[in-house]
Amino acid sequence: MDTNTIIYIVGGVVLGVILGYIIAKSLEKGKASKLIANAEMEAKSILKQAKSDGESIKKDKMLQAKEKFIELKSEHEKVILSRDKKMAESEKRIRDKESQISNELSKSKKTNQSLESKIKDYDFRLEFLEKKQEEVEKAHKNQIKQLEVISSLSAEEAKEQLIESLKEEAKTDAMAFIQDHVEEAKLTAQQEAKKIIINTIQRIGTEEAVDNCVSVFNIESDDVKGRIIGREGRNIRAIEAATGVEIIVDDTPEAIILSCFDSVRREIARLSLHKLVTDGRIHPARIEEIVKKTEKQIEQEIIEVGKRTVIDLGIHGLHPELIKMVGRMKYRSSYGQNLLQHSREVAKLCGVMAAELGLNPKLAKRAGLLHDIGKVPSSETDVETPHAILGMQWAEKHGEKPEVCNAIGAHHDEIEMTTLLSPIIQVCDAISGARPGARRQVLDSYIQRLKDLEDVAFGFTGVKKAYAIQAGRELRVIVESEKVTDEKAASLSFEISQKIQTDMTYPGQVKVTVIRETRAVNIAK
């Protein structure tokens, strides 16, 4: 073959190779495009399936939550029905008591009528006896003259003999007469006492409301709830740490629940939330600032409440510290009964009863208002002293009269009563506390258990604040970062839980949370 032929053959081979390579590449690219398209379709199918599964899981969880809510609601309704049943039974017992008292009053009325008829009969007989006595005296004088003639004795000698013979008979008659009048005086005194007490109760009638451990904070829209909670819950944690109040944000429309056994803490939290929501700036630093301002405002309000109370009752010259204690009673309760309302009612009852008995009504009002000031202790050491003795000590310290001090200290028989004012205070305190629906024993024991729970935490070194929340199922302890390290905080939580487990009796479990926080603050001028 010649050179040209070889060149053509080689060129044809090269050209064939190039064309084959191009065709192969085109086929491979088409397969890749098809694989990518299939992969995209499969990915879309997987995403669609995932969304469908997510929606079904969401619906299942919502159904479970609704079922749980219905179950809890049913349990709550059972508790309410049980409580209503107990209240109905109590009302029935009260009605039975009222019926019994009415019967006794009717019997007493009949007895009074019988006594009045006997008194009339007694007066008639007395007149008859006086006439007979005159006739006897005339006959006696005639007999004396005859005896003097017969016995040859003088009238004085005969008189001495007659006195000796009649002495024993007169003594017996006198004893019987005294006994009859003493019994009559006792009956009259009991009737008069009942009359005064009934008259006092009827004149002083007030409505009673049992204090609860929950306040409701109303908001304009549910959007505010998210701002109150804050990012990852930092705002709500800051509010709870600053006030010691548990804030419950649930599905209740346009409402947030504040839960705490201490009324002062609840009021501080409520006012602080109102100011924060009105202002619109809600963050931890602002929360602490508002809470401190609100605490000062509440202190001032306590003083104003005390002043208004003493002015309304017409009590003058009360020491400023005692006025402040009276104001603090607004945020305290006794067996669920508001302490200030109870003290005001006792003061009014004492004033009416003292006026009925002819005593000083202003002094009685003063003692009635102050009789329970020992229930608002200003320090932890005061809790160990009985409230009646503590109130008496404060009254003596601030210059109250001895009658008032004795009435305060003796109204629970802690000391001996020395004045008539003391039993009046004791009776009026019992009247106010015994009104139907005035008190609730369960609430007081519940609050005492929460206080004991907080006191356990305060018994450890480095504890700054302690708050019992979640109805006593959780104890949050805030420690001083300078005194307690991170390792010590963990061991402190364990020690507190062991102390609670050993010393206290409680239902369920108590979660102990120790919070340690370090802050560095500087001011740019």
Side-chain angles (χ1 to χ4, degrees):
M1 292 187 295
D2 56 4
T3 304
N4 291 331
T5 304
I6 293 171
I7 290 170
Y8 289 142
I9 292 170
V10 171
V13 171
V14 171
L15 183 60
V17 170
I18 292 171
L19 289 173
Y21 178 78
I22 292 170
I23 292 168
K25 282 294 183 179
S26 299
L27 292 173
E28 185 178 352
K29 187 175 182 181
K31 288 182 179 180
S33 299
K34 190 179 290 184
L35 287 172
I36 291 169
N38 292 335
E40 288 178 350
M41 290 177 65
E42 187 175 355
K44 289 180 180 178
S45 175
I46 291 171
L47 287 173
K48 186 176 181 181
Q49 183 65 30
K51 287 182 179 179
S52 176
D53 293 344
E55 288 294 327
S56 63
I57 292 170
K58 182 180 179 181
K59 289 180 180 178
D60 291 341
K61 291 297 182 180
M62 289 179 69
L63 287 173
Q64 290 177 4
K66 288 180 179 178
E67 290 174 356
K68 186 65 176 179
F69 174 77
I70 292 169
E71 181 182 349
L72 292 174
K73 183 180 179 182
S74 175
E75 292 177 358
H76 182 65
E77 288 175 351
K78 288 180 181 177
V79 172
I80 291 174
L81 287 173
S82 175
R83 192 173 297 171
D84 290 343
K85 184 178 179 182
K86 290 181 180 178
M87 289 177 66
E89 292 175 354
S90 300
E91 290 175 354
K92 184 177 181 302
R93 288 197 296 270
I94 291 168
R95 287 196 296 270
D96 294 339
K97 287 289 184 181
E98 289 176 349
S99 176
Q100 184 179 357
I101 291 171
S102 177
N103 293 334
E104 290 178 357
L105 288 174
S106 63
K107 290 179 181 178
S108 176
K109 188 175 180 180
K110 291 179 181 178
T111 304
N112 287 337
Q113 292 175 351
S114 175
L115 182 62
E116 288 176 357
S117 64
K118 288 181 179 179
I119 290 172
K120 290 180 181 179
D121 183 59
Y122 173 79
D123 292 336
F124 175 78
R125 291 185 179 184
L126 187 62
E127 291 177 359
F128 178 78
L129 287 173
E130 287 176 353
K131 292 180 181 179
K132 288 292 182 181
Q133 184 69 29
E134 291 176 358
E135 295 176 1
V136 168
E137 286 178 357
K138 291 180 181 179
H140 181 64
K141 288 179 180 178
N142 293 330
Q143 287 179 354
I144 288 174
K145 291 178 181 178
Q146 292 176 5
L147 286 171
E148 286 178 347
V149 173
I150 296 171
S151 62
S152 300
L153 293 173
S154 65
E156 291 295 325
E157 292 173 346
K159 186 177 181 179
E160 289 177 0
Q161 291 180 5
L162 183 61
I163 288 171
E164 289 294 329
S165 64
L166 295 177
K167 185 179 290 185
E168 291 298 325
E169 183 180 356
K171 187 182 293 184
T172 304
D173 292 339
M175 290 297 295
F177 180 82
I178 291 170
Q179 185 69 26
D180 291 339
H181 279 70
V182 167
E183 292 297 328
E184 183 180 355
K186 286 182 180 179
L187 180 62
T188 305
Q190 289 178 357
Q191 291 174 348
E192 190 66 24
K194 288 179 181 179
K195 178 183 175 183
I196 291 173
I197 291 173
I198 292 170
N199 183 40
T200 303
I201 294 173
Q202 289 175 341
R203 290 176 63 183
I204 308 297
T206 59
E207 295 181 358
E208 292 294 343
V210 178
D211 282 354
N212 296 316
C213 292
V214 173
S215 296
V216 178
F217 177 73
N218 296 313
I219 56 179
E220 295 181 357
S221 65
D222 289 341
D223 296 336
V224 181
K225 291 183 179 180
R227 293 165 55 197
I228 291 174
I229 295 171
R231 183 181 299 173
E232 297 179 354
R234 63 174 188 171
N235 290 345
I236 197 170
R237 286 198 301 271
I239 296 171
E240 290 180 344
T243 60
V245 174
E246 182 188 3
I247 300 176
I248 302 171
V249 181
D250 54 15
D251 295 332
T252 306
E254 299 181 356
I256 293 174
I257 298 173
L258 309 177
S259 176
C260 181
F261 68 92
D262 192 329
S263 303
V264 177
R265 291 187 200 166
R266 286 206 315 274
E267 186 66 9
I268 291 172
R270 188 187 68 81
L271 292 176
S272 300
L273 274 175
H274 177 71
K275 291 178 181 178
L276 288 167
V277 171
T278 304
D279 183 57
R281 293 176 293 167
I282 306 177
H283 52 82
R286 179 67 175 167
I287 288 168
E288 291 184 359
E289 178 185 354
I290 291 295
V291 169
K292 288 180 181 178
K293 288 182 179 179
T294 306
E295 287 175 349
K296 292 180 181 178
Q297 178 184 340
I298 290 293
E299 285 294 321
Q300 187 62 34
E301 183 181 339
I302 285 171
I303 296 173
E304 291 299 322
V305 169
K307 289 180 179 178
R308 286 198 303 270
T309 301
V310 296
I311 290 171
D312 291 343
L313 293 174
I315 297 172
H316 305 287
L318 202 63
H319 194 278
E321 282 298 320
L322 293 179
I323 291 176
K324 187 175 180 181
M325 291 175 187
V326 170
R328 287 174 62 192
M329 288 195 290
K330 178 183 177 182
Y331 299 101
R332 291 290 184 273
S333 62
S334 175
Y335 302 98
Q337 184 182 27
N338 183 270
L339 196 56
L340 179 59
Q341 184 66 27
H342 165 65
S343 298
R344 287 173 64 101
E345 185 178 359
V346 171
K348 292 178 181 178
L349 289 167
C350 291
V352 174
M353 196 171 288
E356 292 285 343
L357 294 173
L359 301 176
N360 188 342
K362 291 186 177 180
L363 205 62
K365 280 185 179 181
R366 199 182 192 95
L369 179 64
L370 300 177
H371 80 285
D372 268 349
I373 57 172
K375 289 186 177 180
V376 285
S378 56
S379 63
E380 295 296 327
T381 55
D382 293 337
V383 179
E384 300 174 359
T385 307
H387 77 272
I389 302 299
L390 186 61
M392 181 186 69
Q393 292 172 354
W394 284 346
E396 290 173 347
K397 179 181 177 181
H398 297 301
E400 290 297 317
K401 292 184 178 180
E403 299 96 316
V404 175
C405 297
N406 180 259
I408 295 171
H411 79 276
H412 283 311
D413 296 324
E414 302 284 352
I415 61 173
E416 184 181 357
M417 297 181 181
T418 58
T419 64
L420 286 175
L421 200 61
S422 301
I424 292 176
I425 304 301
Q426 189 178 54
V427 169
C428 293
D429 180 45
I431 291 172
S432 176
R435 289 185 183 276
R439 293 190 169 184
R440 186 169 65 197
Q441 177 70 34
V442 178
L443 179 64
D444 189 71
S445 60
Y446 163 72
I447 290 174
Q448 186 60 45
R449 182 167 65 84
L450 296 185
K451 287 182 178 179
D452 293 341
L453 196 61
E454 292 181 353
D455 290 340
V456 169
F458 283 119
F460 289 85
T461 305
V463 174
K464 185 179 180 182
K465 295 179 181 178
Y467 300 122
I469 62 175
Q470 293 282 0
R473 291 190 294 272
E474 182 175 353
L475 178 65
R476 290 189 182 175
V477 182
I478 301 174
V479 298
E480 299 179 19
S481 58
E482 298 84 2
K483 296 182 180 179
V484 180
T485 62
D486 289 340
E487 293 79 8
K488 179 62 177 175
S491 63
L492 183 63
S493 175
F494 176 75
E495 291 172 5
I496 293 174
S497 65
Q498 293 300 308
K499 181 75 171 175
I500 293 171
Q501 186 173 336
T502 304
D503 296 351
M504 293 188 65
T505 302
Y506 53 90
Q509 297 177 340
V510 178
K511 178 182 177 182
V512 180
T513 304
V514 175
I515 301 172
R516 178 180 180 271
E517 184 181 25
T518 303
R519 296 188 183 186
V521 180
N522 288 292
I523 299 174
K525 297 182 179 179

